[in-house]
Amino acid sequence: AQTVTQSQPEMSVQEAETVTLSCTYDTSESDYYLFWYKQPPSRQMILVIRQEAYKQQNATENRFSVNFQKAAKSFSLKISDSQLGDAAMYFCAYRIPSGSGGSNYKLTFGKGTLLTVNP
Amino acid sequence: NAGVMQNPRHLVRRRGQEARLRCSPVKGHSHVYWYRQLPEEGLKFMVYLQKENIIDESGMPKERFSAEFPKEGPSILRIQQVVRGDSAAYFCASSPWTSKNYGYTFGSGTRLTVV
């Protein structure tokens, strides 16, 4: 079974600094998708960034980037120039691609990392 | 272009009552997924529905929980005879189909409190 582990329950960062959130996962699949979701106090689940496992290049979305290490099954999120609005719970999630058979529509989430941004 | 709409946002029920949670997917999306978030936990898959069909309910508790997505109207997650352990945030997500590898569009959830 696939599992997603976020080993940092809480993290804090100074405004304008950089922070990295860790995520590891366990799977026997060779092709899959990884996601980072942001959940602010409003509870809305917001997709931050997505990585396809077959792509060697790390995904980047503005100030958000990932360090995807497939062999190590690691998928960390780096937030550069942190802003007060980045304060939220961050969830790492995994899914196998459509067409892979089985439950390819299910997202498996980690328990989350609560990020605090200090002014 | 509204996103996934869930209501109510907060729901308080006494033990033994019924809870009905509603989810209107993004317009044009025919696939709906329900997830539950217990305190201090990530989201856990409950059920996957298409219009008038339950595709996978493997994450649903065997008793008291049911879900539907009728041809017309929102998807409904129904919890009968609620107990304190049902207190959680329930999220709905939708997608146009599963052939695209989206991370889905989520609603803001319904927080159910059982007193």
PDB file of all heavy atoms in Angstrom, chain A residues 33 35 37 39 42-44 50 91 95 97-98 105-107 109-111, chain B residues 9 35 37 42-43 45 56 58 91 98 101-104 106 108-109 111:
ATOM      1  N   TYR A  33       2.077  10.375  -9.511  1.00  0.00           N
ATOM      2  CA  TYR A  33       2.054  11.822  -9.397  1.00  0.00           C
ATOM      3  C   TYR A  33       2.157  12.214  -7.930  1.00  0.00           C
ATOM      4  O   TYR A  33       1.609  11.540  -7.055  1.00  0.00           O
ATOM      5  CB  TYR A  33       0.756  12.381  -9.979  1.00  0.00           C
ATOM      6  CG  TYR A  33       0.721  12.331 -11.483  1.00  0.00           C
ATOM      7  CD1 TYR A  33       0.564  11.115 -12.146  1.00  0.00           C
ATOM      8  CD2 TYR A  33       0.879  13.479 -12.244  1.00  0.00           C
ATOM      9  CE1 TYR A  33       0.561  11.059 -13.532  1.00  0.00           C
ATOM     10  CE2 TYR A  33       0.866  13.430 -13.623  1.00  0.00           C
ATOM     11  CZ  TYR A  33       0.720  12.222 -14.258  1.00  0.00           C
ATOM     12  OH  TYR A  33       0.725  12.166 -15.621  1.00  0.00           O
ATOM     13  N   PHE A  35       1.883  15.642  -5.223  1.00  0.00           N
ATOM     14  CA  PHE A  35       1.282  16.969  -5.100  1.00  0.00           C
ATOM     15  C   PHE A  35       1.618  17.574  -3.736  1.00  0.00           C
ATOM     16  O   PHE A  35       1.808  16.860  -2.750  1.00  0.00           O
ATOM     17  CB  PHE A  35      -0.253  16.881  -5.187  1.00  0.00           C
ATOM     18  CG  PHE A  35      -0.779  16.163  -6.397  1.00  0.00           C
ATOM     19  CD1 PHE A  35      -0.961  14.790  -6.382  1.00  0.00           C
ATOM     20  CD2 PHE A  35      -1.097  16.862  -7.547  1.00  0.00           C
ATOM     21  CE1 PHE A  35      -1.457  14.120  -7.485  1.00  0.00           C
ATOM     22  CE2 PHE A  35      -1.602  16.200  -8.663  1.00  0.00           C
ATOM     23  CZ  PHE A  35      -1.773  14.828  -8.629  1.00  0.00           C
ATOM     24  N   TYR A  37      -0.396  20.335  -1.368  1.00  0.00           N
ATOM     25  CA  TYR A  37      -1.598  21.134  -1.161  1.00  0.00           C
ATOM     26  C   TYR A  37      -1.380  22.059   0.031  1.00  0.00           C
ATOM     27  O   TYR A  37      -0.737  21.700   1.005  1.00  0.00           O
ATOM     28  CB  TYR A  37      -2.812  20.242  -0.860  1.00  0.00           C
ATOM     29  CG  TYR A  37      -3.480  19.656  -2.070  1.00  0.00           C
ATOM     30  CD1 TYR A  37      -3.071  18.426  -2.572  1.00  0.00           C
ATOM     31  CD2 TYR A  37      -4.515  20.326  -2.698  1.00  0.00           C
ATOM     32  CE1 TYR A  37      -3.695  17.876  -3.681  1.00  0.00           C
ATOM     33  CE2 TYR A  37      -5.145  19.780  -3.809  1.00  0.00           C
ATOM     34  CZ  TYR A  37      -4.731  18.559  -4.294  1.00  0.00           C
ATOM     35  OH  TYR A  37      -5.335  18.015  -5.389  1.00  0.00           O
ATOM     36  N   GLN A  39      -3.472  24.275   2.916  1.00  0.00           N
ATOM     37  CA  GLN A  39      -4.764  24.439   3.564  1.00  0.00           C
ATOM     38  C   GLN A  39      -4.678  25.589   4.562  1.00  0.00           C
ATOM     39  O   GLN A  39      -4.225  25.406   5.690  1.00  0.00           O
ATOM     40  CB  GLN A  39      -5.205  23.146   4.258  1.00  0.00           C
ATOM     41  CG  GLN A  39      -6.626  23.217   4.818  1.00  0.00           C
ATOM     42  CD  GLN A  39      -7.041  21.943   5.536  1.00  0.00           C
ATOM     43  OE1 GLN A  39      -6.286  21.365   6.320  1.00  0.00           O
ATOM     44  NE2 GLN A  39      -8.265  21.475   5.278  1.00  0.00           N
ATOM     45  N   SER A  42      -8.949  29.030   6.252  1.00  0.00           N
ATOM     46  CA  SER A  42     -10.260  28.951   5.593  1.00  0.00           C
ATOM     47  C   SER A  42     -10.659  27.513   5.274  1.00  0.00           C
ATOM     48  O   SER A  42     -11.802  27.227   4.941  1.00  0.00           O
ATOM     49  CB  SER A  42     -10.247  29.756   4.291  1.00  0.00           C
ATOM     50  OG  SER A  42      -9.380  29.139   3.347  1.00  0.00           O
ATOM     51  N   ARG A  43      -9.716  26.607   5.382  1.00  0.00           N
ATOM     52  CA  ARG A  43      -9.910  25.169   5.161  1.00  0.00           C
ATOM     53  C   ARG A  43      -9.889  24.775   3.684  1.00  0.00           C
ATOM     54  O   ARG A  43      -9.887  23.600   3.360  1.00  0.00           O
ATOM     55  CB  ARG A  43     -11.217  24.679   5.804  1.00  0.00           C
ATOM     56  CG  ARG A  43     -10.994  23.679   6.882  1.00  0.00           C
ATOM     57  CD  ARG A  43     -12.238  23.085   7.476  1.00  0.00           C
ATOM     58  NE  ARG A  43     -13.491  23.274   6.836  1.00  0.00           N
ATOM     59  CZ  ARG A  43     -14.547  23.818   7.449  1.00  0.00           C
ATOM     60  NH1 ARG A  43     -14.428  24.255   8.677  1.00  0.00           N
ATOM     61  NH2 ARG A  43     -15.688  23.943   6.818  1.00  0.00           N
ATOM     62  N   GLN A  44      -9.899  25.735   2.786  1.00  0.00           N
ATOM     63  CA  GLN A  44      -9.870  25.422   1.357  1.00  0.00           C
ATOM     64  C   GLN A  44      -8.592  24.663   1.027  1.00  0.00           C
ATOM     65  O   GLN A  44      -7.501  25.061   1.416  1.00  0.00           O
ATOM     66  CB  GLN A  44      -9.920  26.718   0.545  1.00  0.00           C
ATOM     67  CG  GLN A  44      -9.803  26.541  -0.951  1.00  0.00           C
ATOM     68  CD  GLN A  44     -11.110  26.080  -1.576  1.00  0.00           C
ATOM     69  OE1 GLN A  44     -12.159  26.628  -1.304  1.00  0.00           O
ATOM     70  NE2 GLN A  44     -11.032  25.076  -2.422  1.00  0.00           N
ATOM     71  N   ARG A  50       2.631  20.313  -8.611  1.00  0.00           N
ATOM     72  CA  ARG A  50       2.456  18.920  -9.007  1.00  0.00           C
ATOM     73  C   ARG A  50       3.729  18.437  -9.700  1.00  0.00           C
ATOM     74  O   ARG A  50       4.362  19.185 -10.441  1.00  0.00           O
ATOM     75  CB  ARG A  50       1.277  18.814  -9.958  1.00  0.00           C
ATOM     76  CG  ARG A  50       0.983  17.415 -10.460  1.00  0.00           C
ATOM     77  CD  ARG A  50      -0.145  17.424 -11.456  1.00  0.00           C
ATOM     78  NE  ARG A  50       0.262  17.990 -12.739  1.00  0.00           N
ATOM     79  CZ  ARG A  50      -0.566  18.185 -13.747  1.00  0.00           C
ATOM     80  NH1 ARG A  50      -1.834  17.900 -13.624  1.00  0.00           N
ATOM     81  NH2 ARG A  50      -0.148  18.684 -14.878  1.00  0.00           N
ATOM     82  N   PHE A  91       0.055  19.835   2.881  1.00  0.00           N
ATOM     83  CA  PHE A  91      -0.084  18.396   2.756  1.00  0.00           C
ATOM     84  C   PHE A  91       0.613  17.910   1.491  1.00  0.00           C
ATOM     85  O   PHE A  91       0.444  18.481   0.418  1.00  0.00           O
ATOM     86  CB  PHE A  91      -1.556  17.988   2.676  1.00  0.00           C
ATOM     87  CG  PHE A  91      -2.317  18.200   3.942  1.00  0.00           C
ATOM     88  CD1 PHE A  91      -3.092  19.332   4.129  1.00  0.00           C
ATOM     89  CD2 PHE A  91      -2.270  17.252   4.950  1.00  0.00           C
ATOM     90  CE1 PHE A  91      -3.809  19.529   5.299  1.00  0.00           C
ATOM     91  CE2 PHE A  91      -2.988  17.431   6.134  1.00  0.00           C
ATOM     92  CZ  PHE A  91      -3.752  18.580   6.309  1.00  0.00           C
ATOM     93  N   ARG A  95      -0.593   9.970  -6.004  1.00  0.00           N
ATOM     94  CA  ARG A  95      -1.644   9.320  -6.782  1.00  0.00           C
ATOM     95  C   ARG A  95      -1.000   8.603  -7.953  1.00  0.00           C
ATOM     96  O   ARG A  95      -0.031   9.101  -8.523  1.00  0.00           O
ATOM     97  CB  ARG A  95      -2.618  10.375  -7.292  1.00  0.00           C
ATOM     98  CG  ARG A  95      -3.746   9.821  -8.143  1.00  0.00           C
ATOM     99  CD  ARG A  95      -4.536  10.924  -8.807  1.00  0.00           C
ATOM    100  NE  ARG A  95      -5.376  10.375  -9.859  1.00  0.00           N
ATOM    101  CZ  ARG A  95      -5.973  11.089 -10.780  1.00  0.00           C
ATOM    102  NH1 ARG A  95      -5.823  12.394 -10.789  1.00  0.00           N
ATOM    103  NH2 ARG A  95      -6.716  10.521 -11.688  1.00  0.00           N
ATOM    104  N   PRO A  97      -1.209   7.320 -11.894  1.00  0.00           N
ATOM    105  CA  PRO A  97      -1.856   7.931 -13.052  1.00  0.00           C
ATOM    106  C   PRO A  97      -3.059   7.144 -13.525  1.00  0.00           C
ATOM    107  O   PRO A  97      -3.159   5.938 -13.305  1.00  0.00           O
ATOM    108  CB  PRO A  97      -0.763   7.915 -14.128  1.00  0.00           C
ATOM    109  CG  PRO A  97       0.495   7.606 -13.428  1.00  0.00           C
ATOM    110  CD  PRO A  97       0.135   6.830 -12.208  1.00  0.00           C
ATOM    111  N   SER A  98      -3.960   7.816 -14.185  1.00  0.00           N
ATOM    112  CA  SER A  98      -5.091   7.158 -14.830  1.00  0.00           C
ATOM    113  C   SER A  98      -4.556   6.205 -15.880  1.00  0.00           C
ATOM    114  O   SER A  98      -3.558   6.486 -16.540  1.00  0.00           O
ATOM    115  CB  SER A  98      -5.992   8.197 -15.490  1.00  0.00           C
ATOM    116  OG  SER A  98      -6.470   9.109 -14.535  1.00  0.00           O
ATOM    117  N   TYR A 105      -7.668   6.942  -8.963  1.00  0.00           N
ATOM    118  CA  TYR A 105      -8.277   8.230  -8.680  1.00  0.00           C
ATOM    119  C   TYR A 105      -8.059   8.654  -7.223  1.00  0.00           C
ATOM    120  O   TYR A 105      -8.390   9.748  -6.837  1.00  0.00           O
ATOM    121  CB  TYR A 105      -9.784   8.163  -8.958  1.00  0.00           C
ATOM    122  CG  TYR A 105     -10.386   6.869  -8.493  1.00  0.00           C
ATOM    123  CD1 TYR A 105     -10.719   6.688  -7.161  1.00  0.00           C
ATOM    124  CD2 TYR A 105     -10.570   5.815  -9.367  1.00  0.00           C
ATOM    125  CE1 TYR A 105     -11.226   5.487  -6.717  1.00  0.00           C
ATOM    126  CE2 TYR A 105     -11.080   4.607  -8.932  1.00  0.00           C
ATOM    127  CZ  TYR A 105     -11.412   4.443  -7.604  1.00  0.00           C
ATOM    128  OH  TYR A 105     -11.907   3.251  -7.177  1.00  0.00           O
ATOM    129  N   LYS A 106      -7.521   7.752  -6.416  1.00  0.00           N
ATOM    130  CA  LYS A 106      -7.389   8.065  -4.995  1.00  0.00           C
ATOM    131  C   LYS A 106      -6.136   8.867  -4.722  1.00  0.00           C
ATOM    132  O   LYS A 106      -5.039   8.515  -5.168  1.00  0.00           O
ATOM    133  CB  LYS A 106      -7.300   6.786  -4.164  1.00  0.00           C
ATOM    134  CG  LYS A 106      -8.575   6.009  -4.044  1.00  0.00           C
ATOM    135  CD  LYS A 106      -8.353   4.809  -3.141  1.00  0.00           C
ATOM    136  CE  LYS A 106      -9.587   3.937  -3.108  1.00  0.00           C
ATOM    137  NZ  LYS A 106      -9.379   2.724  -2.286  1.00  0.00           N
ATOM    138  N   LEU A 107      -6.300   9.928  -3.967  1.00  0.00           N
ATOM    139  CA  LEU A 107      -5.159  10.662  -3.437  1.00  0.00           C
ATOM    140  C   LEU A 107      -4.848  10.119  -2.045  1.00  0.00           C
ATOM    141  O   LEU A 107      -5.739   9.953  -1.222  1.00  0.00           O
ATOM    142  CB  LEU A 107      -5.486  12.146  -3.326  1.00  0.00           C
ATOM    143  CG  LEU A 107      -5.475  12.967  -4.620  1.00  0.00           C
ATOM    144  CD1 LEU A 107      -6.146  14.303  -4.401  1.00  0.00           C
ATOM    145  CD2 LEU A 107      -4.053  13.152  -5.114  1.00  0.00           C
ATOM    146  N   PHE A 109      -2.797  11.100   1.289  1.00  0.00           N
ATOM    147  CA  PHE A 109      -2.225  12.289   1.905  1.00  0.00           C
ATOM    148  C   PHE A 109      -1.334  11.937   3.087  1.00  0.00           C
ATOM    149  O   PHE A 109      -1.564  10.947   3.801  1.00  0.00           O
ATOM    150  CB  PHE A 109      -3.339  13.203   2.426  1.00  0.00           C
ATOM    151  CG  PHE A 109      -4.092  13.939   1.361  1.00  0.00           C
ATOM    152  CD1 PHE A 109      -5.187  13.360   0.732  1.00  0.00           C
ATOM    153  CD2 PHE A 109      -3.711  15.220   0.980  1.00  0.00           C
ATOM    154  CE1 PHE A 109      -5.890  14.034  -0.246  1.00  0.00           C
ATOM    155  CE2 PHE A 109      -4.411  15.912   0.002  1.00  0.00           C
ATOM    156  CZ  PHE A 109      -5.498  15.316  -0.610  1.00  0.00           C
ATOM    157  N   GLY A 110      -0.341  12.802   3.324  1.00  0.00           N
ATOM    158  CA  GLY A 110       0.383  12.777   4.579  1.00  0.00           C
ATOM    159  C   GLY A 110      -0.420  13.505   5.651  1.00  0.00           C
ATOM    160  O   GLY A 110      -1.502  14.035   5.379  1.00  0.00           O
ATOM    161  N   LYS A 111       0.127  13.548   6.870  1.00  0.00           N
ATOM    162  CA  LYS A 111      -0.602  14.157   7.981  1.00  0.00           C
ATOM    163  C   LYS A 111      -0.450  15.667   8.026  1.00  0.00           C
ATOM    164  O   LYS A 111      -1.128  16.330   8.803  1.00  0.00           O
ATOM    165  CB  LYS A 111      -0.131  13.557   9.307  1.00  0.00           C
ATOM    166  CG  LYS A 111      -0.558  12.121   9.494  1.00  0.00           C
ATOM    167  CD  LYS A 111      -0.271  11.640  10.911  1.00  0.00           C
ATOM    168  CE  LYS A 111      -0.808  10.226  11.090  1.00  0.00           C
ATOM    169  NZ  LYS A 111      -0.627   9.749  12.489  1.00  0.00           N
TER     170      LYS A 111
ATOM    171  N   ARG B   9     -21.289  24.906   5.860  1.00  0.00           N
ATOM    172  CA  ARG B   9     -19.882  25.013   6.204  1.00  0.00           C
ATOM    173  C   ARG B   9     -19.621  24.406   7.586  1.00  0.00           C
ATOM    174  O   ARG B   9     -18.570  23.799   7.792  1.00  0.00           O
ATOM    175  CB  ARG B   9     -19.434  26.468   6.171  1.00  0.00           C
ATOM    176  CG  ARG B   9     -17.961  26.634   6.353  1.00  0.00           C
ATOM    177  CD  ARG B   9     -17.496  27.953   5.760  1.00  0.00           C
ATOM    178  NE  ARG B   9     -16.107  28.205   6.073  1.00  0.00           N
ATOM    179  CZ  ARG B   9     -15.076  27.583   5.506  1.00  0.00           C
ATOM    180  NH1 ARG B   9     -15.292  26.657   4.588  1.00  0.00           N
ATOM    181  NH2 ARG B   9     -13.832  27.875   5.848  1.00  0.00           N
ATOM    182  N   TYR B  35     -13.772  13.007   0.894  1.00  0.00           N
ATOM    183  CA  TYR B  35     -12.661  12.717   1.792  1.00  0.00           C
ATOM    184  C   TYR B  35     -13.031  13.188   3.197  1.00  0.00           C
ATOM    185  O   TYR B  35     -13.786  14.144   3.370  1.00  0.00           O
ATOM    186  CB  TYR B  35     -11.385  13.452   1.347  1.00  0.00           C
ATOM    187  CG  TYR B  35     -10.692  12.856   0.150  1.00  0.00           C
ATOM    188  CD1 TYR B  35     -11.185  13.050  -1.147  1.00  0.00           C
ATOM    189  CD2 TYR B  35      -9.530  12.100   0.289  1.00  0.00           C
ATOM    190  CE1 TYR B  35     -10.553  12.499  -2.248  1.00  0.00           C
ATOM    191  CE2 TYR B  35      -8.886  11.553  -0.810  1.00  0.00           C
ATOM    192  CZ  TYR B  35      -9.404  11.753  -2.062  1.00  0.00           C
ATOM    193  OH  TYR B  35      -8.768  11.209  -3.152  1.00  0.00           O
ATOM    194  N   GLN B  37     -11.365  14.350   6.980  1.00  0.00           N
ATOM    195  CA  GLN B  37     -10.161  14.787   7.690  1.00  0.00           C
ATOM    196  C   GLN B  37     -10.451  14.782   9.175  1.00  0.00           C
ATOM    197  O   GLN B  37     -11.161  15.648   9.691  1.00  0.00           O
ATOM    198  CB  GLN B  37      -9.730  16.184   7.234  1.00  0.00           C
ATOM    199  CG  GLN B  37      -8.432  16.650   7.865  1.00  0.00           C
ATOM    200  CD  GLN B  37      -8.021  18.027   7.380  1.00  0.00           C
ATOM    201  OE1 GLN B  37      -8.857  18.848   6.993  1.00  0.00           O
ATOM    202  NE2 GLN B  37      -6.735  18.308   7.401  1.00  0.00           N
ATOM    203  N   GLY B  42      -4.288  13.800   7.899  1.00  0.00           N
ATOM    204  CA  GLY B  42      -4.512  14.202   6.511  1.00  0.00           C
ATOM    205  C   GLY B  42      -5.866  13.718   6.040  1.00  0.00           C
ATOM    206  O   GLY B  42      -6.611  13.064   6.767  1.00  0.00           O
ATOM    207  N   LEU B  43      -6.194  14.049   4.818  1.00  0.00           N
ATOM    208  CA  LEU B  43      -7.475  13.631   4.260  1.00  0.00           C
ATOM    209  C   LEU B  43      -7.425  12.149   3.894  1.00  0.00           C
ATOM    210  O   LEU B  43      -6.430  11.662   3.365  1.00  0.00           O
ATOM    211  CB  LEU B  43      -7.802  14.458   3.007  1.00  0.00           C
ATOM    212  CG  LEU B  43      -8.394  15.848   3.237  1.00  0.00           C
ATOM    213  CD1 LEU B  43      -7.377  16.796   3.826  1.00  0.00           C
ATOM    214  CD2 LEU B  43      -8.947  16.398   1.927  1.00  0.00           C
ATOM    215  N   PHE B  45      -9.555   9.112   1.807  1.00  0.00           N
ATOM    216  CA  PHE B  45     -10.565   8.821   0.790  1.00  0.00           C
ATOM    217  C   PHE B  45     -11.744   8.065   1.391  1.00  0.00           C
ATOM    218  O   PHE B  45     -11.571   7.135   2.180  1.00  0.00           O
ATOM    219  CB  PHE B  45      -9.935   7.988  -0.326  1.00  0.00           C
ATOM    220  CG  PHE B  45     -10.921   7.429  -1.320  1.00  0.00           C
ATOM    221  CD1 PHE B  45     -11.386   8.204  -2.360  1.00  0.00           C
ATOM    222  CD2 PHE B  45     -11.376   6.125  -1.194  1.00  0.00           C
ATOM    223  CE1 PHE B  45     -12.290   7.686  -3.272  1.00  0.00           C
ATOM    224  CE2 PHE B  45     -12.275   5.594  -2.100  1.00  0.00           C
ATOM    225  CZ  PHE B  45     -12.737   6.384  -3.151  1.00  0.00           C
ATOM    226  N   ASP B  56     -16.593   3.537  -6.199  1.00  0.00           N
ATOM    227  CA  ASP B  56     -15.736   2.936  -5.179  1.00  0.00           C
ATOM    228  C   ASP B  56     -16.123   3.528  -3.836  1.00  0.00           C
ATOM    229  O   ASP B  56     -15.979   4.721  -3.643  1.00  0.00           O
ATOM    230  CB  ASP B  56     -14.268   3.222  -5.509  1.00  0.00           C
ATOM    231  CG  ASP B  56     -13.291   2.623  -4.503  1.00  0.00           C
ATOM    232  OD1 ASP B  56     -13.727   2.058  -3.474  1.00  0.00           O
ATOM    233  OD2 ASP B  56     -12.070   2.719  -4.732  1.00  0.00           O
ATOM    234  N   SER B  58     -14.924   2.049  -0.952  1.00  0.00           N
ATOM    235  CA  SER B  58     -14.076   1.260  -0.064  1.00  0.00           C
ATOM    236  C   SER B  58     -13.618   2.013   1.174  1.00  0.00           C
ATOM    237  O   SER B  58     -13.238   1.402   2.167  1.00  0.00           O
ATOM    238  CB  SER B  58     -12.851   0.746  -0.830  1.00  0.00           C
ATOM    239  OG  SER B  58     -12.101   1.831  -1.337  1.00  0.00           O
ATOM    240  N   PHE B  91     -14.577  16.729   3.083  1.00  0.00           N
ATOM    241  CA  PHE B  91     -14.262  17.476   1.872  1.00  0.00           C
ATOM    242  C   PHE B  91     -14.790  16.740   0.648  1.00  0.00           C
ATOM    243  O   PHE B  91     -14.744  15.512   0.562  1.00  0.00           O
ATOM    244  CB  PHE B  91     -12.750  17.652   1.719  1.00  0.00           C
ATOM    245  CG  PHE B  91     -12.165  18.633   2.679  1.00  0.00           C
ATOM    246  CD1 PHE B  91     -11.746  18.221   3.933  1.00  0.00           C
ATOM    247  CD2 PHE B  91     -12.026  19.967   2.323  1.00  0.00           C
ATOM    248  CE1 PHE B  91     -11.203  19.126   4.833  1.00  0.00           C
ATOM    249  CE2 PHE B  91     -11.487  20.873   3.220  1.00  0.00           C
ATOM    250  CZ  PHE B  91     -11.079  20.462   4.466  1.00  0.00           C
ATOM    251  N   THR B  98     -11.149  11.029 -15.106  1.00  0.00           N
ATOM    252  CA  THR B  98      -9.925  10.590 -14.438  1.00  0.00           C
ATOM    253  C   THR B  98      -8.779  10.384 -15.412  1.00  0.00           C
ATOM    254  O   THR B  98      -7.685  10.071 -15.034  1.00  0.00           O
ATOM    255  CB  THR B  98     -10.143   9.275 -13.672  1.00  0.00           C
ATOM    256  OG1 THR B  98     -10.612   8.280 -14.579  1.00  0.00           O
ATOM    257  CG2 THR B  98     -11.140   9.472 -12.559  1.00  0.00           C
ATOM    258  N   ASN B 101      -4.613  13.869 -15.308  1.00  0.00           N
ATOM    259  CA  ASN B 101      -4.001  13.664 -13.996  1.00  0.00           C
ATOM    260  C   ASN B 101      -3.979  14.937 -13.175  1.00  0.00           C
ATOM    261  O   ASN B 101      -2.924  15.431 -12.814  1.00  0.00           O
ATOM    262  CB  ASN B 101      -2.618  13.081 -14.183  1.00  0.00           C
ATOM    263  CG  ASN B 101      -2.709  11.683 -14.727  1.00  0.00           C
ATOM    264  OD1 ASN B 101      -3.191  10.781 -14.068  1.00  0.00           O
ATOM    265  ND2 ASN B 101      -2.265  11.503 -15.955  1.00  0.00           N
ATOM    266  N   TYR B 102      -5.156  15.439 -12.922  1.00  0.00           N
ATOM    267  CA  TYR B 102      -5.269  16.613 -12.083  1.00  0.00           C
ATOM    268  C   TYR B 102      -5.143  16.231 -10.617  1.00  0.00           C
ATOM    269  O   TYR B 102      -5.279  15.092 -10.239  1.00  0.00           O
ATOM    270  CB  TYR B 102      -6.644  17.265 -12.266  1.00  0.00           C
ATOM    271  CG  TYR B 102      -6.910  17.795 -13.647  1.00  0.00           C
ATOM    272  CD1 TYR B 102      -7.906  17.235 -14.431  1.00  0.00           C
ATOM    273  CD2 TYR B 102      -6.180  18.853 -14.162  1.00  0.00           C
ATOM    274  CE1 TYR B 102      -8.168  17.717 -15.695  1.00  0.00           C
ATOM    275  CE2 TYR B 102      -6.431  19.337 -15.430  1.00  0.00           C
ATOM    276  CZ  TYR B 102      -7.424  18.772 -16.190  1.00  0.00           C
ATOM    277  OH  TYR B 102      -7.687  19.236 -17.431  1.00  0.00           O
ATOM    278  N   GLY B 103      -4.898  17.203  -9.797  1.00  0.00           N
ATOM    279  CA  GLY B 103      -4.975  16.997  -8.355  1.00  0.00           C
ATOM    280  C   GLY B 103      -6.369  17.247  -7.851  1.00  0.00           C
ATOM    281  O   GLY B 103      -6.567  17.289  -6.659  1.00  0.00           O
ATOM    282  N   TYR B 104      -7.326  17.428  -8.693  1.00  0.00           N
ATOM    283  CA  TYR B 104      -8.735  17.669  -8.389  1.00  0.00           C
ATOM    284  C   TYR B 104      -8.962  19.061  -7.819  1.00  0.00           C
ATOM    285  O   TYR B 104      -8.047  19.721  -7.322  1.00  0.00           O
ATOM    286  CB  TYR B 104      -9.287  16.640  -7.402  1.00  0.00           C
ATOM    287  CG  TYR B 104      -9.151  15.220  -7.877  1.00  0.00           C
ATOM    288  CD1 TYR B 104      -8.784  14.202  -7.006  1.00  0.00           C
ATOM    289  CD2 TYR B 104      -9.374  14.889  -9.212  1.00  0.00           C
ATOM    290  CE1 TYR B 104      -8.654  12.910  -7.447  1.00  0.00           C
ATOM    291  CE2 TYR B 104      -9.231  13.595  -9.654  1.00  0.00           C
ATOM    292  CZ  TYR B 104      -8.874  12.608  -8.764  1.00  0.00           C
ATOM    293  OH  TYR B 104      -8.735  11.328  -9.189  1.00  0.00           O
ATOM    294  N   PHE B 106     -10.966  20.958  -4.914  1.00  0.00           N
ATOM    295  CA  PHE B 106     -11.613  20.679  -3.632  1.00  0.00           C
ATOM    296  C   PHE B 106     -12.531  21.822  -3.220  1.00  0.00           C
ATOM    297  O   PHE B 106     -12.278  22.985  -3.535  1.00  0.00           O
ATOM    298  CB  PHE B 106     -10.566  20.483  -2.532  1.00  0.00           C
ATOM    299  CG  PHE B 106      -9.948  19.124  -2.506  1.00  0.00           C
ATOM    300  CD1 PHE B 106      -8.838  18.837  -3.274  1.00  0.00           C
ATOM    301  CD2 PHE B 106     -10.476  18.123  -1.712  1.00  0.00           C
ATOM    302  CE1 PHE B 106      -8.249  17.577  -3.258  1.00  0.00           C
ATOM    303  CE2 PHE B 106      -9.896  16.854  -1.679  1.00  0.00           C
ATOM    304  CZ  PHE B 106      -8.794  16.582  -2.456  1.00  0.00           C
ATOM    305  N   SER B 108     -14.398  23.748   0.245  1.00  0.00           N
ATOM    306  CA  SER B 108     -13.866  24.232   1.525  1.00  0.00           C
ATOM    307  C   SER B 108     -14.254  23.345   2.700  1.00  0.00           C
ATOM    308  O   SER B 108     -13.893  23.623   3.832  1.00  0.00           O
ATOM    309  CB  SER B 108     -14.334  25.657   1.791  1.00  0.00           C
ATOM    310  OG  SER B 108     -13.792  26.543   0.844  1.00  0.00           O
ATOM    311  N   GLY B 109     -15.010  22.312   2.413  1.00  0.00           N
ATOM    312  CA  GLY B 109     -15.314  21.340   3.453  1.00  0.00           C
ATOM    313  C   GLY B 109     -16.501  21.711   4.329  1.00  0.00           C
ATOM    314  O   GLY B 109     -16.928  22.868   4.399  1.00  0.00           O
ATOM    315  N   ARG B 111     -17.482  21.177   8.318  1.00  0.00           N
ATOM    316  CA  ARG B 111     -17.012  20.701   9.618  1.00  0.00           C
ATOM    317  C   ARG B 111     -18.204  20.205  10.414  1.00  0.00           C
ATOM    318  O   ARG B 111     -19.089  20.999  10.772  1.00  0.00           O
ATOM    319  CB  ARG B 111     -16.276  21.800  10.378  1.00  0.00           C
ATOM    320  CG  ARG B 111     -15.730  21.307  11.721  1.00  0.00           C
ATOM    321  CD  ARG B 111     -14.852  22.325  12.415  1.00  0.00           C
ATOM    322  NE  ARG B 111     -13.645  22.627  11.659  1.00  0.00           N
ATOM    323  CZ  ARG B 111     -12.581  21.846  11.593  1.00  0.00           C
ATOM    324  NH1 ARG B 111     -12.566  20.701  12.247  1.00  0.00           N
ATOM    325  NH2 ARG B 111     -11.522  22.217  10.903  1.00  0.00           N
TER     326      ARG B 111
END
